[in-house]
Amino acid sequence: MTEKHFEALSWCVKNGIKVYVNPTIKGLHVQINDNGQLIQSPETYTKKEADLKVWALYLYLYETKSV
């Protein structure tokens, strides 16, 4: 991960946004908790795919919400 990813993670956590892997019977989903508003991915992911998706979402949320 890059410095930008860690900057995005820090900004999101400070602003009440958390992105994490949610294991279900069907597989791994990625879930966003934006100050209590939960959004879960419709897709399931492998562990590696889910980890990459979490980092990508932190970066995306940072770039779209911090402006």
Side-chain angles (χ1 to χ4, degrees):
M1 296 304 113
T2 67
E3 184 66 30
K4 189 78 167 175
H5 285 93
F6 289 104
E7 182 180 324
L9 170 64
S10 178
W11 183 90
C12 285
V13 171
K14 286 179 185 175
N15 287 280
I17 302 169
K18 298 170 203 81
V19 182
Y20 48 88
V21 176
N22 183 26
T24 66
I25 292 172
K26 294 182 180 181
L28 300 175
H29 291 269
V30 174
Q31 191 163 25
I32 300 170
N33 181 338
D34 186 351
N35 293 291
Q37 180 184 4
L38 298 177
I39 304 164
Q40 181 168 284
S41 67
E43 301 90 15
T44 57
Y45 299 95
T46 66
K47 172 70 172 124
K48 185 175 182 176
E49 290 171 336
D51 290 343
L52 292 173
K53 189 67 170 178
V54 166
W55 283 109
L57 282 169
Y58 271 126
L59 193 58
Y60 171 78
L61 292 165
Y62 173 66
E63 290 174 345
T64 58
K65 290 184 173 261
S66 70
V67 178

